[in-house]
Amino acid sequence: MASWFSRFTRTPRRSDVPRLRSRGVDQLTTKVELVEFTPDLLGFLGRSAYVQLMVFENLSRAISTAPSTTAKTAIGRAAELSLAKHRRLVAEIVRAGKDPAEVMEPFTRVVDDFERDTRGGDWFETVVACYLTAGFLDDFFARLALGLPDETGRRIAGIFSSESGEAVLADLLTSAIEENSRLSARLAMWGRRLVGDTMLVARSALRYTDDHRSDEARIEPVFTELIAAHTRRMDALGLTA
């Protein structure tokens, strides 16, 4: 764990902006997976559905303080895509014969605490938080879903691998940073801080065995890959993680 956090303490610098690659279930299945640590179906759905609702709420809040109509429109599109994922997850809860609000309720405290810790001090930090944490958690839940039974797991993994507002938010933030270079260092530092909190809320979703040392050895490569994806998202903004 210590080695994961330490790599996010370097001095930020600008870098060339790479292309963001689209995610897909087939791509995810070629990597190290978390299937041994997947919780029961309703536990998975309740937590992940509430996380998507949190992302939607944060994006909706960012619309009200956006500095331009262009920014409002872009964030609105991202919010719509997050809400669509939430609705698809809620539909899975209904398919299982349960009440969505009741299934989500046990996870509200941990997710609400995470939201408060990662909200940011201004509009720019809020949008960066939405961009980075939503991307990290989509990747995480897509992997974790593959441990659910049979076709159900692949169907739910596909929800998280579907279209997101990632590219829209990246373009919006890149333009803002290019217009005000002083944002770069501050947002790079904020992005490095976010990864720790996001890892903690992701790890809280895992179902551990009694062999904690063995669990950590199997989990570490997955989080190494998730952090690498986080770094690419930072790079896409011209920031260094």
Side-chain angles (χ1 to χ4, degrees):
M1 283 289 289
S3 63
W4 290 341
F5 287 95
S6 64
R7 74 184 66 183
F8 292 92
T9 59
R10 300 193 300 268
T11 302
R13 67 179 187 277
R14 300 285 297 190
S15 61
D16 294 334
V17 179
R19 290 183 178 272
L20 289 173
R21 294 181 298 176
S22 61
R23 297 188 301 273
V25 175
D26 292 338
Q27 179 184 359
L28 290 166
T29 56
T30 66
K31 300 180 179 180
V32 181
E33 298 301 348
L34 289 169
V35 295
E36 298 175 69
F37 304 96
T38 304
D40 65 278
L41 175 62
L42 290 176
F44 178 96
L45 290 171
R47 187 187 300 268
S48 60
Y50 195 71
V51 164
Q52 287 296 329
L53 186 59
M54 174 207 72
V55 174
F56 168 73
E57 289 175 340
N58 285 346
L59 288 167
S60 299
R61 194 178 297 119
I63 292 173
S64 65
T65 56
S68 68
T69 303
T70 298
K72 289 178 183 288
T73 302
I75 298 172
R77 174 58 178 158
E80 288 174 358
L81 292 169
S82 183
L83 183 60
K85 291 183 179 182
H86 168 74
R87 287 174 172 165
R88 291 173 68 185
L89 292 166
V90 164
E92 292 290 339
I93 297 174
V94 173
R95 182 197 293 258
K98 299 296 181 179
D99 177 77
E102 291 181 1
V103 173
M104 288 188 289
E105 183 61 34
F107 309 105
T108 57
R109 175 172 293 183
V110 65
V111 176
D112 287 346
D113 286 346
F114 169 71
E115 189 278 327
R116 282 190 292 270
D117 290 340
T118 59
R119 186 176 297 177
D122 63 9
W123 181 83
F124 297 103
E125 290 186 0
T126 295
V127 178
V128 167
C130 292
Y131 166 70
L132 292 175
T133 63
F136 189 109
L137 291 171
D138 273 358
D139 284 352
F140 170 77
F141 282 118
R143 290 170 177 269
L144 197 61
L146 294 176
L148 295 171
D150 303 325
E151 185 58 31
T152 299
R154 291 187 65 82
R155 184 176 66 249
I156 294 174
I159 295 174
F160 297 101
S161 301
S162 62
E163 185 182 3
S164 73
E166 184 171 300
V168 172
L169 295 179
D171 288 344
L172 180 64
L173 288 165
T174 298
S175 296
I177 292 168
E178 289 174 349
E179 291 176 6
N180 182 0
S181 61
R182 290 178 298 178
L183 288 172
S184 180
R186 176 163 68 88
L187 295 181
M189 184 177 297
W190 176 237
R192 292 195 295 272
R193 176 191 159 183
L194 287 169
V195 72
D197 289 323
T198 310
M199 285 173 60
L200 289 176
V201 79
R203 290 172 71 91
S204 71
L206 300 176
R207 177 178 57 83
Y208 293 93
T209 70
D210 293 332
D211 189 349
H212 186 71
R213 180 175 296 182
S214 178
D215 287 348
E216 289 299 323
R218 294 197 296 275
I219 291 168
E220 182 173 359
V222 180
F223 277 91
T224 297
E225 291 185 356
L226 292 171
I227 290 171
H230 171 88
T231 299
R232 289 192 292 273
R233 291 185 186 98
M234 294 276 284
D235 288 344
L237 302 184
L239 309 176
T240 299

mmCIF file with all atom_site columns, all heavy atoms in Angstrom, residues 79-101:
data_model
loop_
_atom_site.group_PDB
_atom_site.id
_atom_site.type_symbol
_atom_site.label_atom_id
_atom_site.label_alt_id
_atom_site.label_comp_id
_atom_site.label_asym_id
_atom_site.label_entity_id
_atom_site.label_seq_id
_atom_site.pdbx_PDB_ins_code
_atom_site.Cartn_x
_atom_site.Cartn_y
_atom_site.Cartn_z
_atom_site.occupancy
_atom_site.B_iso_or_equiv
_atom_site.pdbx_formal_charge
_atom_site.auth_seq_id
_atom_site.auth_comp_id
_atom_site.auth_asym_id
_atom_site.auth_atom_id
_atom_site.pdbx_PDB_model_num
ATOM 1   N N   . ALA A 1 79  ? -23.347 14.167  -16.848 1.00 0.00 ? 79  ALA A N   1
ATOM 2   C CA  . ALA A 1 79  ? -24.303 13.823  -15.797 1.00 0.00 ? 79  ALA A CA  1
ATOM 3   C C   . ALA A 1 79  ? -25.369 12.870  -16.320 1.00 0.00 ? 79  ALA A C   1
ATOM 4   O O   . ALA A 1 79  ? -25.776 11.917  -15.645 1.00 0.00 ? 79  ALA A O   1
ATOM 5   C CB  . ALA A 1 79  ? -24.950 15.092  -15.240 1.00 0.00 ? 79  ALA A CB  1
ATOM 6   N N   . GLU A 1 80  ? -25.842 13.102  -17.547 1.00 0.00 ? 80  GLU A N   1
ATOM 7   C CA  . GLU A 1 80  ? -26.843 12.225  -18.151 1.00 0.00 ? 80  GLU A CA  1
ATOM 8   C C   . GLU A 1 80  ? -26.329 10.788  -18.264 1.00 0.00 ? 80  GLU A C   1
ATOM 9   O O   . GLU A 1 80  ? -27.054 9.823   -17.990 1.00 0.00 ? 80  GLU A O   1
ATOM 10  C CB  . GLU A 1 80  ? -27.212 12.739  -19.544 1.00 0.00 ? 80  GLU A CB  1
ATOM 11  C CG  . GLU A 1 80  ? -28.042 14.018  -19.549 1.00 0.00 ? 80  GLU A CG  1
ATOM 12  C CD  . GLU A 1 80  ? -28.247 14.545  -20.953 1.00 0.00 ? 80  GLU A CD  1
ATOM 13  O OE1 . GLU A 1 80  ? -27.697 13.916  -21.906 1.00 0.00 ? 80  GLU A OE1 1
ATOM 14  O OE2 . GLU A 1 80  ? -28.934 15.557  -21.118 1.00 0.00 ? 80  GLU A OE2 1
ATOM 15  N N   . LEU A 1 81  ? -25.078 10.633  -18.673 1.00 0.00 ? 81  LEU A N   1
ATOM 16  C CA  . LEU A 1 81  ? -24.503 9.302   -18.845 1.00 0.00 ? 81  LEU A CA  1
ATOM 17  C C   . LEU A 1 81  ? -24.344 8.590   -17.504 1.00 0.00 ? 81  LEU A C   1
ATOM 18  O O   . LEU A 1 81  ? -24.572 7.374   -17.400 1.00 0.00 ? 81  LEU A O   1
ATOM 19  C CB  . LEU A 1 81  ? -23.155 9.416   -19.553 1.00 0.00 ? 81  LEU A CB  1
ATOM 20  C CG  . LEU A 1 81  ? -23.235 9.874   -21.011 1.00 0.00 ? 81  LEU A CG  1
ATOM 21  C CD1 . LEU A 1 81  ? -21.850 10.224  -21.549 1.00 0.00 ? 81  LEU A CD1 1
ATOM 22  C CD2 . LEU A 1 81  ? -23.877 8.799   -21.886 1.00 0.00 ? 81  LEU A CD2 1
ATOM 23  N N   . SER A 1 82  ? -23.976 9.342   -16.471 1.00 0.00 ? 82  SER A N   1
ATOM 24  C CA  . SER A 1 82  ? -23.859 8.734   -15.139 1.00 0.00 ? 82  SER A CA  1
ATOM 25  C C   . SER A 1 82  ? -25.224 8.320   -14.605 1.00 0.00 ? 82  SER A C   1
ATOM 26  O O   . SER A 1 82  ? -25.382 7.239   -14.023 1.00 0.00 ? 82  SER A O   1
ATOM 27  C CB  . SER A 1 82  ? -23.190 9.714   -14.171 1.00 0.00 ? 82  SER A CB  1
ATOM 28  O OG  . SER A 1 82  ? -23.006 9.113   -12.905 1.00 0.00 ? 82  SER A OG  1
ATOM 29  N N   . LEU A 1 83  ? -26.226 9.172   -14.813 1.00 0.00 ? 83  LEU A N   1
ATOM 30  C CA  . LEU A 1 83  ? -27.574 8.833   -14.368 1.00 0.00 ? 83  LEU A CA  1
ATOM 31  C C   . LEU A 1 83  ? -28.104 7.602   -15.106 1.00 0.00 ? 83  LEU A C   1
ATOM 32  O O   . LEU A 1 83  ? -28.795 6.762   -14.515 1.00 0.00 ? 83  LEU A O   1
ATOM 33  C CB  . LEU A 1 83  ? -28.511 10.020  -14.583 1.00 0.00 ? 83  LEU A CB  1
ATOM 34  C CG  . LEU A 1 83  ? -29.954 9.832   -14.097 1.00 0.00 ? 83  LEU A CG  1
ATOM 35  C CD1 . LEU A 1 83  ? -29.992 9.551   -12.600 1.00 0.00 ? 83  LEU A CD1 1
ATOM 36  C CD2 . LEU A 1 83  ? -30.794 11.058  -14.425 1.00 0.00 ? 83  LEU A CD2 1
ATOM 37  N N   . ALA A 1 84  ? -27.745 7.471   -16.376 1.00 0.00 ? 84  ALA A N   1
ATOM 38  C CA  . ALA A 1 84  ? -28.176 6.300   -17.141 1.00 0.00 ? 84  ALA A CA  1
ATOM 39  C C   . ALA A 1 84  ? -27.597 5.024   -16.545 1.00 0.00 ? 84  ALA A C   1
ATOM 40  O O   . ALA A 1 84  ? -28.286 3.993   -16.451 1.00 0.00 ? 84  ALA A O   1
ATOM 41  C CB  . ALA A 1 84  ? -27.755 6.449   -18.600 1.00 0.00 ? 84  ALA A CB  1
ATOM 42  N N   . LYS A 1 85  ? -26.344 5.073   -16.111 1.00 0.00 ? 85  LYS A N   1
ATOM 43  C CA  . LYS A 1 85  ? -25.742 3.900   -15.462 1.00 0.00 ? 85  LYS A CA  1
ATOM 44  C C   . LYS A 1 85  ? -26.449 3.591   -14.154 1.00 0.00 ? 85  LYS A C   1
ATOM 45  O O   . LYS A 1 85  ? -26.719 2.420   -13.840 1.00 0.00 ? 85  LYS A O   1
ATOM 46  C CB  . LYS A 1 85  ? -24.253 4.139   -15.222 1.00 0.00 ? 85  LYS A CB  1
ATOM 47  C CG  . LYS A 1 85  ? -23.422 4.185   -16.487 1.00 0.00 ? 85  LYS A CG  1
ATOM 48  C CD  . LYS A 1 85  ? -21.945 4.363   -16.163 1.00 0.00 ? 85  LYS A CD  1
ATOM 49  C CE  . LYS A 1 85  ? -21.122 4.395   -17.450 1.00 0.00 ? 85  LYS A CE  1
ATOM 50  N NZ  . LYS A 1 85  ? -19.681 4.512   -17.198 1.00 0.00 ? 85  LYS A NZ  1
ATOM 51  N N   . HIS A 1 86  ? -26.731 4.631   -13.386 1.00 0.00 ? 86  HIS A N   1
ATOM 52  C CA  . HIS A 1 86  ? -27.456 4.430   -12.129 1.00 0.00 ? 86  HIS A CA  1
ATOM 53  C C   . HIS A 1 86  ? -28.802 3.758   -12.388 1.00 0.00 ? 86  HIS A C   1
ATOM 54  O O   . HIS A 1 86  ? -29.171 2.796   -11.677 1.00 0.00 ? 86  HIS A O   1
ATOM 55  C CB  . HIS A 1 86  ? -27.667 5.776   -11.437 1.00 0.00 ? 86  HIS A CB  1
ATOM 56  C CG  . HIS A 1 86  ? -28.643 5.731   -10.300 1.00 0.00 ? 86  HIS A CG  1
ATOM 57  N ND1 . HIS A 1 86  ? -28.337 5.155   -9.079  1.00 0.00 ? 86  HIS A ND1 1
ATOM 58  C CD2 . HIS A 1 86  ? -29.926 6.174   -10.210 1.00 0.00 ? 86  HIS A CD2 1
ATOM 59  C CE1 . HIS A 1 86  ? -29.388 5.242   -8.281  1.00 0.00 ? 86  HIS A CE1 1
ATOM 60  N NE2 . HIS A 1 86  ? -30.361 5.861   -8.940  1.00 0.00 ? 86  HIS A NE2 1
ATOM 61  N N   . ARG A 1 87  ? -29.520 4.214   -13.380 1.00 0.00 ? 87  ARG A N   1
ATOM 62  C CA  . ARG A 1 87  ? -30.838 3.649   -13.669 1.00 0.00 ? 87  ARG A CA  1
ATOM 63  C C   . ARG A 1 87  ? -30.736 2.191   -14.107 1.00 0.00 ? 87  ARG A C   1
ATOM 64  O O   . ARG A 1 87  ? -31.597 1.365   -13.761 1.00 0.00 ? 87  ARG A O   1
ATOM 65  C CB  . ARG A 1 87  ? -31.532 4.490   -14.736 1.00 0.00 ? 87  ARG A CB  1
ATOM 66  C CG  . ARG A 1 87  ? -32.026 5.837   -14.200 1.00 0.00 ? 87  ARG A CG  1
ATOM 67  C CD  . ARG A 1 87  ? -32.571 6.709   -15.302 1.00 0.00 ? 87  ARG A CD  1
ATOM 68  N NE  . ARG A 1 87  ? -33.219 7.904   -14.757 1.00 0.00 ? 87  ARG A NE  1
ATOM 69  C CZ  . ARG A 1 87  ? -33.535 8.974   -15.469 1.00 0.00 ? 87  ARG A CZ  1
ATOM 70  N NH1 . ARG A 1 87  ? -33.257 9.004   -16.765 1.00 0.00 ? 87  ARG A NH1 1
ATOM 71  N NH2 . ARG A 1 87  ? -34.123 10.011  -14.903 1.00 0.00 ? 87  ARG A NH2 1
ATOM 72  N N   . ARG A 1 88  ? -29.704 1.848   -14.870 1.00 0.00 ? 88  ARG A N   1
ATOM 73  C CA  . ARG A 1 88  ? -29.531 0.462   -15.294 1.00 0.00 ? 88  ARG A CA  1
ATOM 74  C C   . ARG A 1 88  ? -29.210 -0.441  -14.099 1.00 0.00 ? 88  ARG A C   1
ATOM 75  O O   . ARG A 1 88  ? -29.678 -1.587  -14.034 1.00 0.00 ? 88  ARG A O   1
ATOM 76  C CB  . ARG A 1 88  ? -28.435 0.368   -16.356 1.00 0.00 ? 88  ARG A CB  1
ATOM 77  C CG  . ARG A 1 88  ? -28.827 0.999   -17.687 1.00 0.00 ? 88  ARG A CG  1
ATOM 78  C CD  . ARG A 1 88  ? -27.667 1.040   -18.650 1.00 0.00 ? 88  ARG A CD  1
ATOM 79  N NE  . ARG A 1 88  ? -27.274 -0.312  -19.080 1.00 0.00 ? 88  ARG A NE  1
ATOM 80  C CZ  . ARG A 1 88  ? -26.218 -0.552  -19.847 1.00 0.00 ? 88  ARG A CZ  1
ATOM 81  N NH1 . ARG A 1 88  ? -25.446 0.465   -20.260 1.00 0.00 ? 88  ARG A NH1 1
ATOM 82  N NH2 . ARG A 1 88  ? -25.916 -1.779  -20.210 1.00 0.00 ? 88  ARG A NH2 1
ATOM 83  N N   . LEU A 1 89  ? -28.439 0.069   -13.157 1.00 0.00 ? 89  LEU A N   1
ATOM 84  C CA  . LEU A 1 89  ? -28.138 -0.706  -11.945 1.00 0.00 ? 89  LEU A CA  1
ATOM 85  C C   . LEU A 1 89  ? -29.383 -0.861  -11.079 1.00 0.00 ? 89  LEU A C   1
ATOM 86  O O   . LEU A 1 89  ? -29.633 -1.932  -10.501 1.00 0.00 ? 89  LEU A O   1
ATOM 87  C CB  . LEU A 1 89  ? -27.009 -0.034  -11.162 1.00 0.00 ? 89  LEU A CB  1
ATOM 88  C CG  . LEU A 1 89  ? -25.638 -0.077  -11.850 1.00 0.00 ? 89  LEU A CG  1
ATOM 89  C CD1 . LEU A 1 89  ? -24.677 0.899   -11.186 1.00 0.00 ? 89  LEU A CD1 1
ATOM 90  C CD2 . LEU A 1 89  ? -25.062 -1.491  -11.836 1.00 0.00 ? 89  LEU A CD2 1
ATOM 91  N N   . VAL A 1 90  ? -30.173 0.193   -10.979 1.00 0.00 ? 90  VAL A N   1
ATOM 92  C CA  . VAL A 1 90  ? -31.442 0.117   -10.244 1.00 0.00 ? 90  VAL A CA  1
ATOM 93  C C   . VAL A 1 90  ? -32.360 -0.915  -10.901 1.00 0.00 ? 90  VAL A C   1
ATOM 94  O O   . VAL A 1 90  ? -33.043 -1.687  -10.205 1.00 0.00 ? 90  VAL A O   1
ATOM 95  C CB  . VAL A 1 90  ? -32.115 1.506   -10.200 1.00 0.00 ? 90  VAL A CB  1
ATOM 96  C CG1 . VAL A 1 90  ? -33.583 1.390   -9.798  1.00 0.00 ? 90  VAL A CG1 1
ATOM 97  C CG2 . VAL A 1 90  ? -31.371 2.417   -9.218  1.00 0.00 ? 90  VAL A CG2 1
ATOM 98  N N   . ALA A 1 91  ? -32.366 -0.963  -12.226 1.00 0.00 ? 91  ALA A N   1
ATOM 99  C CA  . ALA A 1 91  ? -33.186 -1.951  -12.923 1.00 0.00 ? 91  ALA A CA  1
ATOM 100 C C   . ALA A 1 91  ? -32.752 -3.373  -12.586 1.00 0.00 ? 91  ALA A C   1
ATOM 101 O O   . ALA A 1 91  ? -33.591 -4.287  -12.493 1.00 0.00 ? 91  ALA A O   1
ATOM 102 C CB  . ALA A 1 91  ? -33.106 -1.725  -14.437 1.00 0.00 ? 91  ALA A CB  1
ATOM 103 N N   . GLU A 1 92  ? -31.448 -3.565  -12.364 1.00 0.00 ? 92  GLU A N   1
ATOM 104 C CA  . GLU A 1 92  ? -30.958 -4.884  -11.966 1.00 0.00 ? 92  GLU A CA  1
ATOM 105 C C   . GLU A 1 92  ? -31.447 -5.249  -10.560 1.00 0.00 ? 92  GLU A C   1
ATOM 106 O O   . GLU A 1 92  ? -31.744 -6.413  -10.276 1.00 0.00 ? 92  GLU A O   1
ATOM 107 C CB  . GLU A 1 92  ? -29.433 -4.922  -12.020 1.00 0.00 ? 92  GLU A CB  1
ATOM 108 C CG  . GLU A 1 92  ? -28.844 -4.830  -13.421 1.00 0.00 ? 92  GLU A CG  1
ATOM 109 C CD  . GLU A 1 92  ? -29.089 -6.080  -14.240 1.00 0.00 ? 92  GLU A CD  1
ATOM 110 O OE1 . GLU A 1 92  ? -29.344 -7.156  -13.659 1.00 0.00 ? 92  GLU A OE1 1
ATOM 111 O OE2 . GLU A 1 92  ? -29.014 -5.988  -15.488 1.00 0.00 ? 92  GLU A OE2 1
ATOM 112 N N   . ILE A 1 93  ? -31.530 -4.257  -9.682  1.00 0.00 ? 93  ILE A N   1
ATOM 113 C CA  . ILE A 1 93  ? -32.050 -4.508  -8.331  1.00 0.00 ? 93  ILE A CA  1
ATOM 114 C C   . ILE A 1 93  ? -33.520 -4.905  -8.418  1.00 0.00 ? 93  ILE A C   1
ATOM 115 O O   . ILE A 1 93  ? -33.965 -5.851  -7.756  1.00 0.00 ? 93  ILE A O   1
ATOM 116 C CB  . ILE A 1 93  ? -31.867 -3.265  -7.438  1.00 0.00 ? 93  ILE A CB  1
ATOM 117 C CG1 . ILE A 1 93  ? -30.371 -2.951  -7.263  1.00 0.00 ? 93  ILE A CG1 1
ATOM 118 C CG2 . ILE A 1 93  ? -32.534 -3.483  -6.079  1.00 0.00 ? 93  ILE A CG2 1
ATOM 119 C CD1 . ILE A 1 93  ? -30.089 -1.658  -6.510  1.00 0.00 ? 93  ILE A CD1 1
ATOM 120 N N   . VAL A 1 94  ? -34.270 -4.191  -9.239  1.00 0.00 ? 94  VAL A N   1
ATOM 121 C CA  . VAL A 1 94  ? -35.689 -4.512  -9.427  1.00 0.00 ? 94  VAL A CA  1
ATOM 122 C C   . VAL A 1 94  ? -35.827 -5.907  -10.035 1.00 0.00 ? 94  VAL A C   1
ATOM 123 O O   . VAL A 1 94  ? -36.700 -6.693  -9.651  1.00 0.00 ? 94  VAL A O   1
ATOM 124 C CB  . VAL A 1 94  ? -36.367 -3.450  -10.311 1.00 0.00 ? 94  VAL A CB  1
ATOM 125 C CG1 . VAL A 1 94  ? -37.797 -3.859  -10.646 1.00 0.00 ? 94  VAL A CG1 1
ATOM 126 C CG2 . VAL A 1 94  ? -36.351 -2.086  -9.608  1.00 0.00 ? 94  VAL A CG2 1
ATOM 127 N N   . ARG A 1 95  ? -34.960 -6.236  -10.979 1.00 0.00 ? 95  ARG A N   1
ATOM 128 C CA  . ARG A 1 95  ? -34.971 -7.560  -11.600 1.00 0.00 ? 95  ARG A CA  1
ATOM 129 C C   . ARG A 1 95  ? -34.786 -8.653  -10.536 1.00 0.00 ? 95  ARG A C   1
ATOM 130 O O   . ARG A 1 95  ? -35.350 -9.748  -10.652 1.00 0.00 ? 95  ARG A O   1
ATOM 131 C CB  . ARG A 1 95  ? -33.855 -7.655  -12.636 1.00 0.00 ? 95  ARG A CB  1
ATOM 132 C CG  . ARG A 1 95  ? -33.804 -8.997  -13.394 1.00 0.00 ? 95  ARG A CG  1
ATOM 133 C CD  . ARG A 1 95  ? -32.459 -9.156  -14.078 1.00 0.00 ? 95  ARG A CD  1
ATOM 134 N NE  . ARG A 1 95  ? -32.274 -8.198  -15.157 1.00 0.00 ? 95  ARG A NE  1
ATOM 135 C CZ  . ARG A 1 95  ? -32.402 -8.483  -16.447 1.00 0.00 ? 95  ARG A CZ  1
ATOM 136 N NH1 . ARG A 1 95  ? -32.724 -9.702  -16.831 1.00 0.00 ? 95  ARG A NH1 1
ATOM 137 N NH2 . ARG A 1 95  ? -32.189 -7.553  -17.351 1.00 0.00 ? 95  ARG A NH2 1
ATOM 138 N N   . ALA A 1 96  ? -33.996 -8.337  -9.504  1.00 0.00 ? 96  ALA A N   1
ATOM 139 C CA  . ALA A 1 96  ? -33.760 -9.295  -8.423  1.00 0.00 ? 96  ALA A CA  1
ATOM 140 C C   . ALA A 1 96  ? -34.900 -9.312  -7.404  1.00 0.00 ? 96  ALA A C   1
ATOM 141 O O   . ALA A 1 96  ? -34.831 -10.057 -6.416  1.00 0.00 ? 96  ALA A O   1
ATOM 142 C CB  . ALA A 1 96  ? -32.447 -8.976  -7.721  1.00 0.00 ? 96  ALA A CB  1
ATOM 143 N N   . GLY A 1 97  ? -35.917 -8.478  -7.625  1.00 0.00 ? 97  GLY A N   1
ATOM 144 C CA  . GLY A 1 97  ? -37.095 -8.484  -6.769  1.00 0.00 ? 97  GLY A CA  1
ATOM 145 C C   . GLY A 1 97  ? -36.975 -7.677  -5.497  1.00 0.00 ? 97  GLY A C   1
ATOM 146 O O   . GLY A 1 97  ? -37.732 -7.898  -4.549  1.00 0.00 ? 97  GLY A O   1
ATOM 147 N N   . LYS A 1 98  ? -36.063 -6.696  -5.478  1.00 0.00 ? 98  LYS A N   1
ATOM 148 C CA  . LYS A 1 98  ? -35.836 -5.921  -4.260  1.00 0.00 ? 98  LYS A CA  1
ATOM 149 C C   . LYS A 1 98  ? -36.108 -4.437  -4.493  1.00 0.00 ? 98  LYS A C   1
ATOM 150 O O   . LYS A 1 98  ? -36.156 -3.960  -5.632  1.00 0.00 ? 98  LYS A O   1
ATOM 151 C CB  . LYS A 1 98  ? -34.395 -6.110  -3.772  1.00 0.00 ? 98  LYS A CB  1
ATOM 152 C CG  . LYS A 1 98  ? -34.046 -7.548  -3.423  1.00 0.00 ? 98  LYS A CG  1
ATOM 153 C CD  . LYS A 1 98  ? -34.871 -8.053  -2.261  1.00 0.00 ? 98  LYS A CD  1
ATOM 154 C CE  . LYS A 1 98  ? -34.500 -9.480  -1.893  1.00 0.00 ? 98  LYS A CE  1
ATOM 155 N NZ  . LYS A 1 98  ? -35.289 -9.993  -0.738  1.00 0.00 ? 98  LYS A NZ  1
ATOM 156 N N   . ASP A 1 99  ? -36.279 -3.706  -3.391  1.00 0.00 ? 99  ASP A N   1
ATOM 157 C CA  . ASP A 1 99  ? -36.497 -2.262  -3.451  1.00 0.00 ? 99  ASP A CA  1
ATOM 158 C C   . ASP A 1 99  ? -35.148 -1.542  -3.551  1.00 0.00 ? 99  ASP A C   1
ATOM 159 O O   . ASP A 1 99  ? -34.291 -1.732  -2.675  1.00 0.00 ? 99  ASP A O   1
ATOM 160 C CB  . ASP A 1 99  ? -37.249 -1.792  -2.211  1.00 0.00 ? 99  ASP A CB  1
ATOM 161 C CG  . ASP A 1 99  ? -37.435 -0.292  -2.202  1.00 0.00 ? 99  ASP A CG  1
ATOM 162 O OD1 . ASP A 1 99  ? -38.297 0.208   -2.926  1.00 0.00 ? 99  ASP A OD1 1
ATOM 163 O OD2 . ASP A 1 99  ? -36.682 0.386   -1.452  1.00 0.00 ? 99  ASP A OD2 1
ATOM 164 N N   . PRO A 1 100 ? -34.918 -0.734  -4.587  1.00 0.00 ? 100 PRO A N   1
ATOM 165 C CA  . PRO A 1 100 ? -33.606 -0.100  -4.764  1.00 0.00 ? 100 PRO A CA  1
ATOM 166 C C   . PRO A 1 100 ? -33.158 0.745   -3.578  1.00 0.00 ? 100 PRO A C   1
ATOM 167 O O   . PRO A 1 100 ? -31.983 0.681   -3.185  1.00 0.00 ? 100 PRO A O   1
ATOM 168 C CB  . PRO A 1 100 ? -33.803 0.763   -6.009  1.00 0.00 ? 100 PRO A CB  1
ATOM 169 C CG  . PRO A 1 100 ? -34.868 0.048   -6.783  1.00 0.00 ? 100 PRO A CG  1
ATOM 170 C CD  . PRO A 1 100 ? -35.806 -0.492  -5.740  1.00 0.00 ? 100 PRO A CD  1
ATOM 171 N N   . ALA A 1 101 ? -34.061 1.542   -3.008  1.00 0.00 ? 101 ALA A N   1
ATOM 172 C CA  . ALA A 1 101 ? -33.673 2.395   -1.887  1.00 0.00 ? 101 ALA A CA  1
ATOM 173 C C   . ALA A 1 101 ? -33.206 1.561   -0.696  1.00 0.00 ? 101 ALA A C   1
ATOM 174 O O   . ALA A 1 101 ? -32.206 1.899   -0.039  1.00 0.00 ? 101 ALA A O   1
ATOM 175 C CB  . ALA A 1 101 ? -34.834 3.294   -1.480  1.00 0.00 ? 101 ALA A CB  1
#
